[in-house]
Structures are given as structure tokens and as C-alpha cells.
Amino acid sequence: MITSQIEKNENIVEHLLYMWQIEDLIRANGLDISLIEKNIVNQYTSLSSAQRSELLKWYEYLIEMMRLENVKEKGHLQINKNTLIQLVDLHQELLKSPKYPDYTAEFYKTLPFIVELRAKSGNDVAGEIETCFNALYGLMLLRIKGNDITPDTAIAMKQISRFIALLSKYYKQNLEKPLFDYDDDK
């Protein structure tokens, strides 16, 4: 949908978390477009019928992709995985570059929290950036449910948020003007 593309260019973090939430909403409605129309699309009363139709088509498209990619029960669509891959690639470039010491410093402040989260995740081995996104998504779900978080969790999430916000800032800058000149590698 047009809205999600705008979000992607403005704030990649919000975009990816939003798309993960959409995947979960689709699952919660059993990948049933009539339930999605009733429970989600029809709630947008300010939309015109054409806009509502466009939104419904977008959900149909996502449902079909979820079926084809076999992420009906869990996992993420390839388009969302690709976004995460782009962020991981940028993360690695930023860490390698001496031009971004602020990013490296923020990463190393965040790393102990990442290590702790990975230790708690059991067999679900995710990379550093995905671990941060999993934590942010988990926090979002806790807030939606109205659950409290511990002071230690609040400290960890504040640092993870600060780090991922910096990655998002560099992502947007990189879209506007590439941060790295890959011709230097030749």
C-alpha cells in the first residue's frame, strides 16, 4: 500500500515494525479477506470507497504472498526479510568505516543487551539487528496489551531504541546520498 512505502522512505524502523504487525493481524484473522475487511478495513471510516478498495487489495496481495512463501503461521515475508537484510548490510558497512565512530560506539553500548536477549531466545538464533527488532516488536506488543516492563527492560529498550534510531537515520541518509563509495574498493 502507498502508506507503507512512504513510511519505508521516512522511517525504516517504523515501517518494518508496522509490516510485522500487519503480518500478525493477517494471521489473527486467519488469512481470511472477509474477516480482514470486517475487522480492519471497515474500521477506516474516513477512507473513501476507492481507498478502502485499494487497502483491501493490498491485504489480498499480502495474504497471497504469505501463502506462497509459507509464512501463514509464523515468519516474515521476503519483502520484510529484504528490508532487514538492507539494514544488516548498512550496519556492517557502518561498523567497518572509520567515518562513523558514533555508530560504532552506540553499537558497543547496545551489544551487552543484544547478547543477553540472544541468550534468552533459546534456539532462535537471530543476528544482532534482527534481535533488536524482535525486542522492539516485543515491547510494542507488551504496550498494546497494557503490560508493565521491568526497570532493567526499560533501560535495555532505551539503549536498543537509541541504537536502532541511529541506524534508521543513516539508512535515510544513505537513500538520499550514498554514504559509501563502492568504487574505492576497485
Side-chain angles (χ1 to χ4, degrees):
M1 176 167 185
I2 296 167
T3 312
S4 69
Q5 188 59 42
I6 292 169
E7 286 179 14
K8 184 174 183 179
N9 293 335
E10 290 302 313
N11 188 322
I12 192 67
V13 174
E14 287 180 11
H15 168 78
L16 192 54
L17 294 173
Y18 171 75
M19 290 304 297
W20 285 8
Q21 185 179 22
I22 293 297
E23 291 170 340
D24 280 347
L25 283 172
I26 290 171
R27 288 183 189 110
N29 284 278
L31 283 79
D32 183 333
I33 196 64
S34 61
L35 287 176
I36 289 170
E37 181 175 24
K38 176 185 168 198
N39 297 327
I40 301 170
V41 175
N42 288 344
Q43 303 308 310
Y44 290 97
T45 56
S46 63
L47 295 181
S48 69
S49 62
Q51 290 170 318
R52 218 174 295 187
S53 177
E54 180 184 351
L55 182 58
L56 195 59
K57 285 179 187 173
W58 182 66
Y59 274 103
E60 287 175 328
Y61 170 72
L62 292 175
I63 290 168
E64 182 62 21
M65 284 180 23
M66 289 175 76
R67 286 187 174 124
L68 290 171
E69 295 178 23
N70 200 26
V71 292
K72 296 177 284 191
E73 294 178 22
K74 66 178 185 172
H76 299 294
L77 288 166
Q78 190 61 49
I79 56 171
N80 296 329
K81 290 178 186 178
N82 291 346
T83 299
L84 191 59
I85 289 167
Q86 290 174 346
L87 288 167
V88 169
D89 290 347
L90 178 60
H91 163 71
Q92 291 169 346
E93 290 295 324
L94 289 165
L95 286 179
K96 285 192 295 188
S97 176
K99 292 192 266 182
Y100 303 97
D102 61 326
Y103 184 82
T104 302
E106 209 59 50
F107 172 68
Y108 284 110
K109 288 180 196 172
T110 311
L111 191 56
F113 300 114
I114 295 170
V115 170
E116 184 178 342
L117 286 167
R118 287 167 99 181
K120 290 178 180 178
S121 68
N123 293 335
D124 184 24
V125 181
E128 295 151 347
I129 301 303
E130 187 174 0
T131 298
C132 291
F133 272 89
N134 288 338
L136 291 170
Y137 190 70
L139 178 65
M140 183 180 79
L141 292 178
L142 287 173
R143 287 183 175 157
I144 288 170
K145 293 176 183 177
N147 294 355
D148 293 329
I149 60 169
T150 66
D152 287 345
T153 299
I155 290 167
M157 294 312 301
K158 184 175 180 180
Q159 179 57 43
I160 289 169
S161 296
R162 188 172 28 248
F163 167 64
I164 292 297
L166 186 58
L167 177 59
S168 180
K169 176 186 122 180
Y170 282 127
Y171 178 87
K172 186 173 180 183
Q173 286 179 4
N174 195 47
L175 283 179
E176 293 166 0
K177 181 178 181 238
L179 300 175
F180 303 99
D181 184 8
Y182 295 102
D183 290 338
D184 291 345
D185 296 338
K186 293 180 182 177

